[in-house]
Amino acid sequence: MPDPFSAVYRLLDVAPAAGPLADEILLSPAVREPVACLWTTSFGLVVPRTYAARPGFAAAQADFAARGCPIHVRQSGGGVVPQGPGILNLSLAQAFAGRPLDHSEALYQHLCTLISDTLTTFGIETRAQAVEGSFCDGRYNLAVPSPTRKIAGTAQLWRRIPGHAPDRHVGLVHALILVQGDPVELTARANALEAALGSARRYDADRTETLDRLLPPARRPGFPVALEARLHETLRTRPPLPATTPARPRPEP
């Protein structure tokens, strides 16, 4: 039987046809061993369940689909995000013992460090931080400095493992990496949904950036393939997180 405390990730192939919720297939094999996938999907928008509960969502979803921009509802949290050409997704999943809260920050940091270290090899320096005004903002965006712009967003999903101890969970963490494209178009897509739902929230295209625009023009054509290959190599050599957390010290009496 595969070991849930394995020292490496097993890389799974996910076909683009699997759709924008493709990484949720990691939840089952992650019970047995740490797994990861790099994947892309078709043009559209993806939202958390909180959006699906808003008045007018079903009508907006049908309208956007009719105009060639399907909206999919994911299980993880966050906000509205675009998907499609030029966007690379990286997802990790593994089993943990203990409360999700005890592992959540470490799992975010682990994913951000893996991507940040890989981007450093291309001369792109990033750090994890919030980027006010970007779509799906959060503390564990990856951003480039001067000025601060978001180049990746992250989200998590936790599930209890049926038939195991109550404290056994699978944690799935996902990064949406903006590799190529036009930040104005990506942001406009997210803003269009907010407007359709009657929300006053609007996002600022100047608060996001695509990675290829940070490179000299001569290096841009081969960058997406090179980045994916480098991330694959990082995943083959970077160990997953420990499945348990150290016991917390008891307060002095």
Side-chain angles (χ1 to χ4, degrees):
M1 177 179 293
D3 182 2
F5 308 117
S6 170
V8 295
Y9 289 102
R10 181 162 68 92
L11 301 181
L12 302 182
D13 291 326
V14 176
L21 310 180
D23 61 342
E24 293 179 10
I25 68 169
L26 298 182
L27 292 169
S28 179
V31 173
R32 300 182 298 274
E33 60 184 327
V35 290
C37 64
L38 282 160
W39 52 283
T40 59
T41 190
S42 56
F43 182 91
L45 290 167
V46 182
V47 299
R49 288 175 292 179
T50 52
Y51 275 66
R54 292 187 187 181
F57 176 78
Q61 188 177 38
D63 178 59
F64 273 62
R67 292 188 281 133
C69 183
I71 302 171
H72 301 269
V73 180
R74 66 178 186 268
Q75 300 299 305
S76 58
V80 56
V81 296
Q83 280 283 8
I87 293 175
L88 179 64
N89 299 277
L90 169 58
S91 302
L92 314 174
Q94 65 176 102
F96 291 94
R99 302 180 307 165
L101 185 63
D102 294 332
H103 301 279
S104 178
E105 288 216 16
L107 190 56
Y108 272 130
Q109 291 167 356
H110 176 63
L111 176 66
C112 288
T113 299
L114 188 155
I115 299 169
S116 183
D117 288 352
T118 302
L119 291 175
T120 298
T121 66
F122 294 94
I124 300 172
E125 299 296 329
T126 60
R127 66 177 182 179
Q129 66 172 93
V131 182
E132 185 177 357
S134 64
F135 53 77
C136 196
D137 188 24
R139 290 192 300 130
Y140 288 101
N141 298 318
L142 273 179
V144 292
S146 304
T148 301
R149 291 151 294 158
K150 172 178 178 168
I151 57 90
T154 59
Q156 281 188 16
L157 172 62
W158 289 84
R159 287 286 182 269
R160 281 189 58 182
I161 303 176
H164 291 253
D167 70 340
R168 292 300 307 278
H169 298 81
V170 166
L172 184 154
V173 65
H174 164 242
L176 179 148
I177 307 170
L178 304 176
V179 180
Q180 285 182 317
D182 179 4
V184 172
E185 187 281 323
L186 297 171
T187 304
R189 215 187 309 169
N191 281 335
L193 178 59
E194 297 289 0
L197 295 176
S199 167
R201 178 179 294 171
R202 296 294 184 270
Y203 309 107
D204 183 352
D206 290 337
R207 305 301 283 161
T208 61
E209 186 60 279
T210 54
L211 290 168
D212 67 325
R213 288 158 50 105
L214 302 171
L215 298 173
R219 295 180 58 194
R220 293 176 186 176
F223 174 66
V225 172
L227 174 61
E228 187 167 352
R230 192 65 59 85
L231 283 168
H232 268 293
E233 183 59 31
T234 301
L235 287 167
R236 292 188 186 98
T237 58
R238 191 69 56 96
L241 290 176
T244 58
T245 54
R248 295 182 177 181
R250 295 185 177 181
E252 294 292 333

